[in-house]
Amino acid sequence: MKFIIKLHPEITIKSKSVRQRMSKILQGNIRNVLKPLDEHVKIRADWDKLVLRSNILTEEHRAAMIAALACIPGIQSFLEVKEYQVTTLDEILELTQAMFGDRLADKTFCVRAKRRGQQSFSSLDVERYVGGGLNQRCATGGVRLKNPDLQINLELDGDRLFLVSGQHAGLGGFPIATQESVLSLMSGGYDSGVASYQFIKRGSRVHYCFFNLGGREHEAGVREVVHYLWKKYGASHRVKFISVPFEGVVAEILDKIDKGHMGVVLKRMMMRAGAAVAEKLDIRALVTGESMGQVSSQTVTNLNVIDRVTDTLILRPLIAADKQDIIDQARQIGTAAYAEKMPEYCGVISQKPTIKADLAKVEAEEARFDFGVLDTAIQASFVEDVRDLARAWALPEVEFSEAAGNDEVILDIRAPEEEEEAPLQVDGHQVLHLPFFKLAHQFGELDSSKTYLLYCARGVMSRLQAIHLKEQGFDNVKVYKP
């Protein structure tokens, strides 16, 4: 089995030394990815292409090789070829007919030949002889040099004939590790997945940082999409997944920061933490999926205020992209299925955020923030090898209830402003209010003989917090969904 791998055009226009370096890195990347399929695969480098040979000839192996090569950055396209030894035009015609004869019925066609080395005939001789012979021997629709139904490609190298049996598109871009590493701030939604993919394609080793705002289920979903991205597009290199426990940071923001500035301050805290993690990993840039104007924190003014907290370069590849275009690319690369089922949080950020934050006011708000909480979160960051994310997380089951029993207390975990605007009242039952950001620290102080039905507006945060409490050993929790 043989493939001719065409390099991405941006590689071929580099200087000789750069092109050779990128080509060598790509060879290593291909070997790393294909090792589980064939650890003895052979790759030879030419000026603008690589030639790959594998001695494993099963159809299953062929399909797996094609799927893997199509997702390796740096490959523009690749040809699936069969190799024969020939000396005459008659032999070339016989072999070409054997491969393509059945596919020519009632179809227009043309033959395109490329040669290197010494032969007694020209490329045009080959095209005319083989094309004429096929037209006479097969029930074709005739020769058509422009826009034929089928184009037959063959290559000659000395006395070797290569018949192209298949053409496949590659990913393009640069080979991974030809560009510097980046740290992608992953939420698991459409945007962060697409942004990460774009840097993988551009040749960076992409490491991943997730800020856990209080839900193990959310982290489980992010771990899945990160492992998918790495396995499909970046498996040639090991990378890290870093989880930063941000529940305390969120609680501090909701307790200390003005409602209108919560979103901007939260992003500033994330950038501070992301920069600290990046520095530990010797990474020079952060990547986010932010797109201008998509949400309140992503206006030009707010992004400017957010960026002031760190000297670390913040890269935003989607900054001018439309949301639908982002979703379409997420579907194309396979991350949309994960984003669609990713849980969202209710009540984390104010309902009336500012779109033009003033830096002085934001800094005044942050003066009330206990930065020891942020330092604790950074120190508690958990670093894993991305390969370990393949193991499934077993999440505890959570029971839902539409009505409260005699020994059950309804616990409203919404943010204070939500509870004030629409107080929850249930006839004949006690309703307590304990904001979700205080739940982890104060739930243990409640009467343990009671069962608590957690309530929030959409049932998302209540379910996540119930899972979190069960993992801490509290079995007396359910989710209230009237």
Side-chain angles (χ1 to χ4, degrees):
M1 186 181 304
K2 180 176 178 178
F3 296 96
I4 296 177
I5 298 170
K6 305 291 185 180
L7 304 180
H8 179 56
E10 286 189 61
I11 300 174
T12 62
I13 63 174
K14 300 291 185 183
S15 67
K16 181 179 179 181
S17 61
V18 174
R19 186 177 68 247
Q20 288 177 336
R21 180 178 68 86
M22 288 190 169
S23 178
K24 185 176 181 179
I25 290 174
L26 180 57
Q27 290 179 64
N29 293 353
I30 293 172
R31 285 193 179 94
N32 288 342
V33 173
L34 298 186
K35 189 175 181 179
L37 300 174
D38 182 0
E39 60 179 345
H40 301 297
V41 67
K42 296 180 180 180
I43 306 173
R44 187 189 81 238
D46 288 339
W47 182 81
D48 65 343
K49 64 179 181 290
L50 303 175
V51 180
L52 183 152
R53 297 174 184 272
S54 174
N55 293 324
I56 304 176
L57 303 177
T58 67
E59 180 59 29
E60 181 181 4
H61 177 258
R62 170 187 167 274
M65 293 276 279
I66 291 172
L69 289 171
C71 295
I72 298 177
I75 297 176
Q76 182 68 12
S77 62
F78 55 101
L79 307 177
E80 190 178 358
V81 299
K82 295 186 180 298
E83 180 180 344
Y84 306 93
Q85 191 166 7
V86 296
T87 55
T88 67
L89 289 173
D90 280 331
E91 290 175 320
I92 297 173
L93 173 58
E94 292 291 341
L95 291 167
T96 305
Q97 181 182 353
M99 179 175 290
F100 294 99
D102 293 341
R103 295 159 58 181
L104 289 171
D106 299 322
K107 292 183 179 179
T108 59
F109 75 101
C110 71
V111 177
R112 298 299 183 196
K114 293 183 179 180
R115 293 184 313 111
R116 60 186 299 178
Q118 297 295 320
Q119 294 95 15
S120 61
F121 39 77
S122 68
S123 297
L124 186 57
D125 291 336
V126 175
E127 292 175 357
R128 287 174 173 172
Y129 192 89
V130 175
L134 292 174
N135 198 37
Q136 289 178 353
R137 297 182 180 191
C138 306
T140 74
V143 175
R144 181 187 292 171
L145 300 182
K146 292 186 177 180
N147 301 318
D149 296 326
L150 178 64
Q151 179 173 306
I152 298 173
N153 298 296
L154 53 88
E155 295 189 16
L156 289 155
D157 187 351
D159 62 353
R160 291 177 297 166
L161 168 67
F162 303 103
L163 288 176
V164 179
S165 58
Q167 292 181 279
H168 308 279
L171 203 62
F174 289 140
I176 293 178
T178 58
Q179 309 303 312
E180 294 176 85
S181 297
V182 298
L183 180 66
S184 179
L185 308 186
M186 286 290 292
S187 68
Y190 295 104
D191 305 337
S192 59
V194 172
S196 300
Y197 162 80
Q198 291 191 1
F199 272 89
I200 294 173
K201 180 180 176 182
R202 199 60 185 167
S204 289
R205 288 177 68 178
V206 177
H207 302 265
Y208 303 89
C209 183
F210 167 66
F211 298 104
N212 193 326
L213 304 181
R216 183 174 167 88
E217 186 182 40
H218 188 187
E219 179 166 344
V222 173
R223 291 165 69 91
E224 282 186 345
V225 69
V226 165
H227 187 265
Y228 168 84
L229 274 170
W230 170 79
K231 185 69 175 177
K232 190 169 182 68
Y233 302 107
S236 58
H237 288 75
R238 298 180 184 179
V239 297
K240 302 294 186 185
F241 175 80
I242 303 94
S243 177
V244 185
F246 241 52
E247 301 100 320
V249 175
V250 171
E252 186 73 5
I253 289 173
L254 291 170
D255 195 38
K256 302 283 184 66
I257 305 301
D258 174 74
K259 297 177 183 177
H261 293 93
M262 287 180 179
V264 171
V265 171
L266 177 61
K267 286 294 183 67
R268 282 166 62 92
M269 296 301 169
M270 288 179 173
M271 295 307 170
R272 287 184 174 103
V277 170
E279 184 177 6
K280 289 180 181 179
L281 297 176
D282 195 26
I283 294 172
R284 302 286 184 262
L286 305 179
V287 172
T288 81
E290 291 163 314
S291 176
M292 187 168 61
Q294 191 175 116
V295 297
S296 61
S297 64
Q298 295 174 19
T299 63
V300 170
T301 298
N302 286 355
L303 290 174
N304 182 36
V305 170
I306 290 167
D307 287 2
R308 298 295 186 93
V309 299
T310 178
D311 292 329
T312 304
L313 178 63
I314 301 173
L315 300 170
R316 297 181 171 95
L318 309 182
I319 193 64
D322 293 338
K323 185 65 176 183
Q324 189 57 53
D325 292 339
I326 296 170
I327 293 173
D328 290 344
Q329 186 167 23
R331 289 183 177 137
Q332 177 187 342
I333 66 177
T335 58
Y338 298 92
E340 288 164 359
K341 65 180 182 180
M342 198 66 63
E344 296 180 359
Y345 293 92
C346 47
V348 174
I349 299 175
S350 171
Q351 297 177 356
K352 296 181 180 179
T354 181
I355 60 173
K356 289 190 176 181
D358 179 84
L359 180 60
K361 291 182 179 179
V362 170
E363 290 175 339
E365 289 292 324
E366 289 183 344
R368 297 196 293 271
F369 186 92
D370 180 3
F371 278 89
V373 175
L374 180 63
D375 293 338
T376 299
I378 295 171
Q379 293 300 319
S381 300
F382 186 68
V383 182
E384 290 183 83
D385 189 305
V386 71
R387 294 172 299 175
D388 296 334
L389 304 187
R391 66 178 187 272
W393 272 21
L395 297 174
E397 294 292 329
V398 176
E399 185 178 346
F400 290 81
S401 179
E402 297 180 354
N406 293 332
D407 292 326
E408 295 179 333
V409 177
I410 298 172
L411 191 60
D412 187 345
I413 67 168
R414 293 176 296 170
E417 61 268 23
E418 289 185 85
E419 192 272 336
E420 290 172 4
E421 290 179 4
L424 177 65
Q425 296 180 344
V426 180
D427 291 341
H429 287 282
Q430 181 184 9
V431 177
L432 298 181
H433 181 242
L434 182 60
F436 69 92
F437 53 88
K438 295 182 178 181
L439 196 61
H441 301 291
Q442 297 185 16
F443 186 81
E445 300 173 8
L446 300 177
D447 184 355
S448 60
S449 66
K450 303 287 186 180
T451 296
Y452 295 90
L453 309 185
L454 307 189
Y455 171 80
C456 71
R458 289 160 46 197
V460 177
M461 181 62 77
S462 53
R463 179 172 180 269
L464 296 175
Q465 291 298 326
I467 291 173
H468 192 51
L469 290 171
K470 278 184 170 291
E471 289 179 331
Q472 291 181 327
F474 296 105
D475 292 325
N476 56 332
V477 290
K478 298 180 183 178
V479 174
Y480 182 54
K481 293 195 71 173

